[in-house]
C-alpha cells in the first residue's frame, strides 16, 4: 500500500511540489513536533501546527457552518499573516493550515505562500476559485496542497453547501489541481446524508480522479444552525473508524484523520496542545469550533509569547483532557460555557450569539468510545501517530 501511494505521488505530482511536501511538511514537521515535546518539559505550550482562518467570507452557505460567512468581510491582513508565520517559524513551526470562509477569497493568499517558501500550507477550500491560472501559480510555488471539500452527490452537495451546481464547480477545481500536478486532497464532513462516502467505491473514484489523500471527519453539531439531525450515531462513528483503519492497509490513497491515536484511543488536537486556531479577527481560540478568546495576535510581541502565557488556553486544555478524550464541545458544552465564564472570554463571532448557541446544545457522543477501540493496522500510520501525533501526556 505504501509503495503504491509513493508511486502515485512520484508519477503524478510536480517534483518541486513533491520535494517541498517531503522537506517542509515531512522532515521539518517532525522536527517541529520534537521541539514541541521539549517545550512541554519546560511547561511551555506552543503548538507545532497552527490553523488560521484568514477570512470569514465565502460564496457558499453550508449546513452547520459556524463561520459568519454572510457578515461584513473580516480578514487578517497580509502583513499580520506574514508576521504571524515569521514568528512561528522562529519556534520551529513549518506547517500552517489555512481556513476560511473561503481562503482563496483573501487577496493576499498567494503572496503569503510566496513570502514563505520554507513553509508548507494546507488550504481548506471549496475549490471553486481554483482556476487553471491559480493552479499554475500554486504549482510554481510548490509549497501548498489544496484540501477540497466534497460532500456527496450533486443533490446532496447543493443541499449541504447551500448553492447550485456545487459539485460540478468544485470538481473543476479538483481537475485544475490534478492537471497542474499538485498534491491534491479531498475532505468530507460525514453525516447522515452523505454516509455513502464511507466506501471503497468512493476511494477508488478519488484515485481515478488523481486525488492523493482524503480527510474524513464527523459532522459537528455546532454554530447558529447546528442541524442535529445530520449527526452520526455512535455505531456510525465506530464504523467510520473501522473503515479508515482497514482502508489504510488496502487503498492507494492517503487517509487523514487526527482524532484517534495509534492504539485507537480518541484524542483531541486542542486538548493535547498540538494545535490551536486563530480566527479572521486575529482572535486566538482553542479550536475552530470554539469561538471564544481572551487574546488576539495583536496583544503581545509575538504569537509565541501570547499563547504560552494564556491562562485561558491552559485551563481549556487541562479541563478538556480531564473530562474526555473526545470533543469537549459535543460531549460537555456545559464545561465550555463554564470555562468561558470563568475567564470572561469574549465572543469572537460577528453575530454575537456564541454563548447562547452553547446553552442550546445537548450533550452527544463524539469519537471517544473506550469500550470499542480500533488500533491502527498499517505500520507507517501506527509509527507516525505513536511518535508525532499522540496524547503528549494530556490524558495521564
Amino acid at each position: 500500500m505504501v509503495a503504491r501511494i509513493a508511486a502515485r505521488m512520484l508519477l503524478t505530482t510536480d517534483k518541486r511540489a513533491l520535494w517541498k511536501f517531503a522537506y517542509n511538511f515531512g522532515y521539518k514537521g517532525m522536527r517541529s513536533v520534537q521541539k514541541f515535546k521539549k517545550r512541554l518539559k519546560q511547561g511551555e505550550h506552543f503548538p507545532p501546527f497552527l490553523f488560521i482562518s484568514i477570512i470569514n467570507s465565502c460564496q457558499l452557505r453550508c449546513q452547520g457552518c459556524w463561520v459568519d460567512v454572510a457578515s461584513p468581510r473580516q480578514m487578517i491582513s497580509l502583513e499580520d499573516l506574514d508576521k504571524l508565520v515569521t514568528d512561528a517559524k522562529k519556534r520551529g513551526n513549518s506547517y500552517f493550515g489555512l481556513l476560511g470562509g473561503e481562503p482563496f477569497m483573501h487577496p493576499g493568499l498567494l503572496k503569503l505562500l510566496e513570502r514563505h517558501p520554507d513553509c508548507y500550507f494546507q488550504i481548506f477550500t471549496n475549490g471553486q476559485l481554483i482556476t487553471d491560472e491559480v493552479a499554475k501559480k500554486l504549482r510554481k510555488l510548490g509549497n501548498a496542497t489544496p484540501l477540497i471539500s466534497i460532500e456527496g452527490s450533486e443533490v446532496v452537495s447543493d443541499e449541504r453547501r447551500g448553492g447550485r451546481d456545487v459539485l460540478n464547480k468544485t470538481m473543476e477545481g479538483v481537475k485544475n489541481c490534478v492537471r497542474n500536478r499538485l498534491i491534491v486532497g479531498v475532505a468530507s464532513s460525514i453525516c447522515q446524508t452523505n454516509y455513502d462516502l464511507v466506501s471503497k467505491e468512493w476511494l477508488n473514484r478519488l484515485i481515478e480522479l488523481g486525488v492523493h489523500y482524503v480527510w474524513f471527519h464527523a459532522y459537528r453539531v455546532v454554530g447558529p444552525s447546528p442541524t442535529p439531525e445530520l449527526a452520526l450515531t455512535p455505531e456510525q462513528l465506530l464504523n467510520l473508524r473501522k473503515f479508515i483503519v482497514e482502508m489504510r492497509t488496502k487503498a492507494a490513497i492517503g487517509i487523514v484523520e487526527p482524532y484517534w491515536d495509534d492504539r485507537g484511543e480518541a484524542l483531541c488536537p486542542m486538548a493535547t496542545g498540538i494545535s490551536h486556531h486563530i480566527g479572521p479577527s486575529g482572535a486566538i481560540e482553542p479550536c475552530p469550533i470554539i469561538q471564544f478568546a481572551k487574546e488576539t495576535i495583536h496583544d503581545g510581541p509575538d504569537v509565541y509569547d501570547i499563547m504560552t502565557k494564556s491562562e485561558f488556553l491552559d485551563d481549556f486544555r487541562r479541563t478538556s483532557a480531564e473530562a474526555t478524550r473526545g470533543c469537549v464541545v459535543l460531549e460537555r458544552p456545559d464545561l465550555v460555557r463554564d470555562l468561558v465564564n470563568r475567564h470572561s472570554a469574549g465572543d469572537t463571532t460577528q453575530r454575537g450569539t456564541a454563548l447562547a448557541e452553547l446553552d442550546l446544545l445537548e450533550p452527544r457522543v463524539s469519537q471517544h468510545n473506550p469500550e470499542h477501540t480500533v488500533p491502527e493496522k498499517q505500520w507507517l500510520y501506527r509509527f507516525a501517530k505513536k511518535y508525532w501525533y499522540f496524547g503528549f501526556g494530556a490524558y495521564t
Side-chain angles (χ1 to χ4, degrees), residues 296-313:
T296 77
I297 59 174
H298 309 290
D299 291 340
D302 63 46
V303 68
Y304 178 87
D305 185 72
I306 300 167
M307 294 181 77
T308 54
K309 294 178 180 178
S310 173
E311 295 180 1
F312 177 60
L313 292 177

PDB file of all heavy atoms in Angstrom, residues 296-313:
ATOM      1  N   THR A 296      -5.627  38.154  21.363  1.00  0.00           N
ATOM      2  CA  THR A 296      -5.524  38.215  19.910  1.00  0.00           C
ATOM      3  C   THR A 296      -4.045  38.260  19.533  1.00  0.00           C
ATOM      4  O   THR A 296      -3.180  38.448  20.399  1.00  0.00           O
ATOM      5  CB  THR A 296      -6.222  39.460  19.320  1.00  0.00           C
ATOM      6  OG1 THR A 296      -5.382  40.611  19.524  1.00  0.00           O
ATOM      7  CG2 THR A 296      -7.590  39.689  19.960  1.00  0.00           C
ATOM      8  N   ILE A 297      -3.769  38.125  18.254  1.00  0.00           N
ATOM      9  CA  ILE A 297      -2.379  38.156  17.796  1.00  0.00           C
ATOM     10  C   ILE A 297      -1.750  39.531  17.964  1.00  0.00           C
ATOM     11  O   ILE A 297      -0.533  39.686  17.800  1.00  0.00           O
ATOM     12  CB  ILE A 297      -2.272  37.711  16.320  1.00  0.00           C
ATOM     13  CG1 ILE A 297      -3.105  38.631  15.410  1.00  0.00           C
ATOM     14  CG2 ILE A 297      -2.693  36.261  16.164  1.00  0.00           C
ATOM     15  CD1 ILE A 297      -2.943  38.336  13.925  1.00  0.00           C
ATOM     16  N   HIS A 298      -2.552  40.521  18.314  1.00  0.00           N
ATOM     17  CA  HIS A 298      -2.051  41.896  18.470  1.00  0.00           C
ATOM     18  C   HIS A 298      -1.703  42.238  19.923  1.00  0.00           C
ATOM     19  O   HIS A 298      -1.293  43.366  20.205  1.00  0.00           O
ATOM     20  CB  HIS A 298      -3.099  42.896  17.968  1.00  0.00           C
ATOM     21  CG  HIS A 298      -3.609  42.601  16.596  1.00  0.00           C
ATOM     22  ND1 HIS A 298      -2.845  42.743  15.469  1.00  0.00           N
ATOM     23  CD2 HIS A 298      -4.827  42.149  16.175  1.00  0.00           C
ATOM     24  CE1 HIS A 298      -3.553  42.397  14.405  1.00  0.00           C
ATOM     25  NE2 HIS A 298      -4.762  42.035  14.803  1.00  0.00           N
ATOM     26  N   ASP A 299      -1.858  41.260  20.833  1.00  0.00           N
ATOM     27  CA  ASP A 299      -1.731  41.551  22.258  1.00  0.00           C
ATOM     28  C   ASP A 299      -0.343  41.349  22.838  1.00  0.00           C
ATOM     29  O   ASP A 299      -0.179  41.386  24.062  1.00  0.00           O
ATOM     30  CB  ASP A 299      -2.730  40.695  23.054  1.00  0.00           C
ATOM     31  CG  ASP A 299      -4.172  41.119  22.814  1.00  0.00           C
ATOM     32  OD1 ASP A 299      -4.385  42.260  22.374  1.00  0.00           O
ATOM     33  OD2 ASP A 299      -5.075  40.299  23.050  1.00  0.00           O
ATOM     34  N   GLY A 300       0.652  41.109  22.017  1.00  0.00           N
ATOM     35  CA  GLY A 300       1.988  40.895  22.545  1.00  0.00           C
ATOM     36  C   GLY A 300       3.023  41.007  21.457  1.00  0.00           C
ATOM     37  O   GLY A 300       2.700  41.227  20.283  1.00  0.00           O
ATOM     38  N   PRO A 301       4.296  40.835  21.843  1.00  0.00           N
ATOM     39  CA  PRO A 301       5.380  40.970  20.859  1.00  0.00           C
ATOM     40  C   PRO A 301       5.344  39.924  19.755  1.00  0.00           C
ATOM     41  O   PRO A 301       5.723  40.194  18.626  1.00  0.00           O
ATOM     42  CB  PRO A 301       6.646  40.835  21.712  1.00  0.00           C
ATOM     43  CG  PRO A 301       6.205  40.117  22.951  1.00  0.00           C
ATOM     44  CD  PRO A 301       4.806  40.562  23.193  1.00  0.00           C
ATOM     45  N   ASP A 302       4.930  38.699  20.098  1.00  0.00           N
ATOM     46  CA  ASP A 302       4.769  37.673  19.073  1.00  0.00           C
ATOM     47  C   ASP A 302       3.774  36.626  19.565  1.00  0.00           C
ATOM     48  O   ASP A 302       3.424  36.569  20.752  1.00  0.00           O
ATOM     49  CB  ASP A 302       6.096  37.032  18.669  1.00  0.00           C
ATOM     50  CG  ASP A 302       6.776  36.294  19.810  1.00  0.00           C
ATOM     51  OD1 ASP A 302       6.091  35.537  20.518  1.00  0.00           O
ATOM     52  OD2 ASP A 302       7.989  36.466  19.982  1.00  0.00           O
ATOM     53  N   VAL A 303       3.313  35.788  18.660  1.00  0.00           N
ATOM     54  CA  VAL A 303       2.251  34.832  18.983  1.00  0.00           C
ATOM     55  C   VAL A 303       2.721  33.805  20.008  1.00  0.00           C
ATOM     56  O   VAL A 303       1.932  33.305  20.808  1.00  0.00           O
ATOM     57  CB  VAL A 303       1.738  34.155  17.696  1.00  0.00           C
ATOM     58  CG1 VAL A 303       2.777  33.241  17.079  1.00  0.00           C
ATOM     59  CG2 VAL A 303       0.436  33.397  17.965  1.00  0.00           C
ATOM     60  N   TYR A 304       4.006  33.490  19.993  1.00  0.00           N
ATOM     61  CA  TYR A 304       4.540  32.537  20.977  1.00  0.00           C
ATOM     62  C   TYR A 304       4.376  33.082  22.390  1.00  0.00           C
ATOM     63  O   TYR A 304       3.902  32.379  23.296  1.00  0.00           O
ATOM     64  CB  TYR A 304       6.016  32.274  20.677  1.00  0.00           C
ATOM     65  CG  TYR A 304       6.687  31.343  21.654  1.00  0.00           C
ATOM     66  CD1 TYR A 304       6.652  29.961  21.466  1.00  0.00           C
ATOM     67  CD2 TYR A 304       7.383  31.845  22.760  1.00  0.00           C
ATOM     68  CE1 TYR A 304       7.273  29.105  22.357  1.00  0.00           C
ATOM     69  CE2 TYR A 304       7.998  30.989  23.652  1.00  0.00           C
ATOM     70  CZ  TYR A 304       7.951  29.621  23.446  1.00  0.00           C
ATOM     71  OH  TYR A 304       8.562  28.784  24.338  1.00  0.00           O
ATOM     72  N   ASP A 305       4.755  34.318  22.585  1.00  0.00           N
ATOM     73  CA  ASP A 305       4.662  34.943  23.900  1.00  0.00           C
ATOM     74  C   ASP A 305       3.207  34.990  24.373  1.00  0.00           C
ATOM     75  O   ASP A 305       2.906  34.703  25.531  1.00  0.00           O
ATOM     76  CB  ASP A 305       5.249  36.353  23.833  1.00  0.00           C
ATOM     77  CG  ASP A 305       5.291  37.022  25.189  1.00  0.00           C
ATOM     78  OD1 ASP A 305       6.124  36.621  26.022  1.00  0.00           O
ATOM     79  OD2 ASP A 305       4.490  37.952  25.414  1.00  0.00           O
ATOM     80  N   ILE A 306       2.317  35.321  23.476  1.00  0.00           N
ATOM     81  CA  ILE A 306       0.897  35.434  23.836  1.00  0.00           C
ATOM     82  C   ILE A 306       0.315  34.085  24.223  1.00  0.00           C
ATOM     83  O   ILE A 306      -0.349  33.937  25.259  1.00  0.00           O
ATOM     84  CB  ILE A 306       0.093  36.039  22.663  1.00  0.00           C
ATOM     85  CG1 ILE A 306       0.613  37.427  22.318  1.00  0.00           C
ATOM     86  CG2 ILE A 306      -1.390  36.104  23.001  1.00  0.00           C
ATOM     87  CD1 ILE A 306       0.100  37.954  20.985  1.00  0.00           C
ATOM     88  N   MET A 307       0.595  33.057  23.410  1.00  0.00           N
ATOM     89  CA  MET A 307      -0.038  31.760  23.625  1.00  0.00           C
ATOM     90  C   MET A 307       0.539  31.022  24.819  1.00  0.00           C
ATOM     91  O   MET A 307      -0.190  30.343  25.554  1.00  0.00           O
ATOM     92  CB  MET A 307       0.069  30.913  22.357  1.00  0.00           C
ATOM     93  CG  MET A 307      -0.732  31.487  21.195  1.00  0.00           C
ATOM     94  SD  MET A 307      -0.647  30.505  19.671  1.00  0.00           S
ATOM     95  CE  MET A 307      -1.755  29.170  20.050  1.00  0.00           C
ATOM     96  N   THR A 308       1.831  31.128  25.037  1.00  0.00           N
ATOM     97  CA  THR A 308       2.433  30.418  26.166  1.00  0.00           C
ATOM     98  C   THR A 308       2.033  31.025  27.507  1.00  0.00           C
ATOM     99  O   THR A 308       2.105  30.357  28.545  1.00  0.00           O
ATOM    100  CB  THR A 308       3.973  30.405  26.055  1.00  0.00           C
ATOM    101  OG1 THR A 308       4.453  31.749  25.907  1.00  0.00           O
ATOM    102  CG2 THR A 308       4.424  29.560  24.880  1.00  0.00           C
ATOM    103  N   LYS A 309       1.579  32.276  27.503  1.00  0.00           N
ATOM    104  CA  LYS A 309       1.166  32.932  28.748  1.00  0.00           C
ATOM    105  C   LYS A 309      -0.352  32.952  28.933  1.00  0.00           C
ATOM    106  O   LYS A 309      -0.849  33.516  29.917  1.00  0.00           O
ATOM    107  CB  LYS A 309       1.703  34.359  28.784  1.00  0.00           C
ATOM    108  CG  LYS A 309       3.228  34.444  28.855  1.00  0.00           C
ATOM    109  CD  LYS A 309       3.710  35.883  28.846  1.00  0.00           C
ATOM    110  CE  LYS A 309       5.227  35.963  28.913  1.00  0.00           C
ATOM    111  NZ  LYS A 309       5.718  37.370  28.849  1.00  0.00           N
ATOM    112  N   SER A 310      -1.088  32.330  28.034  1.00  0.00           N
ATOM    113  CA  SER A 310      -2.549  32.390  28.086  1.00  0.00           C
ATOM    114  C   SER A 310      -3.118  31.438  29.145  1.00  0.00           C
ATOM    115  O   SER A 310      -3.057  30.215  29.003  1.00  0.00           O
ATOM    116  CB  SER A 310      -3.141  32.040  26.716  1.00  0.00           C
ATOM    117  OG  SER A 310      -4.554  31.935  26.800  1.00  0.00           O
ATOM    118  N   GLU A 311      -3.680  31.981  30.202  1.00  0.00           N
ATOM    119  CA  GLU A 311      -4.334  31.163  31.224  1.00  0.00           C
ATOM    120  C   GLU A 311      -5.601  30.512  30.672  1.00  0.00           C
ATOM    121  O   GLU A 311      -5.965  29.403  31.073  1.00  0.00           O
ATOM    122  CB  GLU A 311      -4.672  32.027  32.435  1.00  0.00           C
ATOM    123  CG  GLU A 311      -3.449  32.584  33.160  1.00  0.00           C
ATOM    124  CD  GLU A 311      -3.825  33.433  34.350  1.00  0.00           C
ATOM    125  OE1 GLU A 311      -5.045  33.583  34.629  1.00  0.00           O
ATOM    126  OE2 GLU A 311      -2.905  33.957  35.023  1.00  0.00           O
ATOM    127  N   PHE A 312      -6.260  31.193  29.755  1.00  0.00           N
ATOM    128  CA  PHE A 312      -7.485  30.661  29.141  1.00  0.00           C
ATOM    129  C   PHE A 312      -7.182  29.386  28.358  1.00  0.00           C
ATOM    130  O   PHE A 312      -7.832  28.355  28.549  1.00  0.00           O
ATOM    131  CB  PHE A 312      -8.093  31.724  28.226  1.00  0.00           C
ATOM    132  CG  PHE A 312      -9.329  31.273  27.484  1.00  0.00           C
ATOM    133  CD1 PHE A 312     -10.460  30.867  28.167  1.00  0.00           C
ATOM    134  CD2 PHE A 312      -9.365  31.295  26.098  1.00  0.00           C
ATOM    135  CE1 PHE A 312     -11.601  30.468  27.490  1.00  0.00           C
ATOM    136  CE2 PHE A 312     -10.495  30.905  25.411  1.00  0.00           C
ATOM    137  CZ  PHE A 312     -11.627  30.485  26.108  1.00  0.00           C
ATOM    138  N   LEU A 313      -6.182  29.421  27.487  1.00  0.00           N
ATOM    139  CA  LEU A 313      -5.835  28.240  26.697  1.00  0.00           C
ATOM    140  C   LEU A 313      -5.347  27.105  27.591  1.00  0.00           C
ATOM    141  O   LEU A 313      -5.695  25.936  27.380  1.00  0.00           O
ATOM    142  CB  LEU A 313      -4.766  28.581  25.658  1.00  0.00           C
ATOM    143  CG  LEU A 313      -5.181  29.514  24.521  1.00  0.00           C
ATOM    144  CD1 LEU A 313      -3.978  29.801  23.621  1.00  0.00           C
ATOM    145  CD2 LEU A 313      -6.326  28.932  23.710  1.00  0.00           C
TER     146      LEU A 313
END
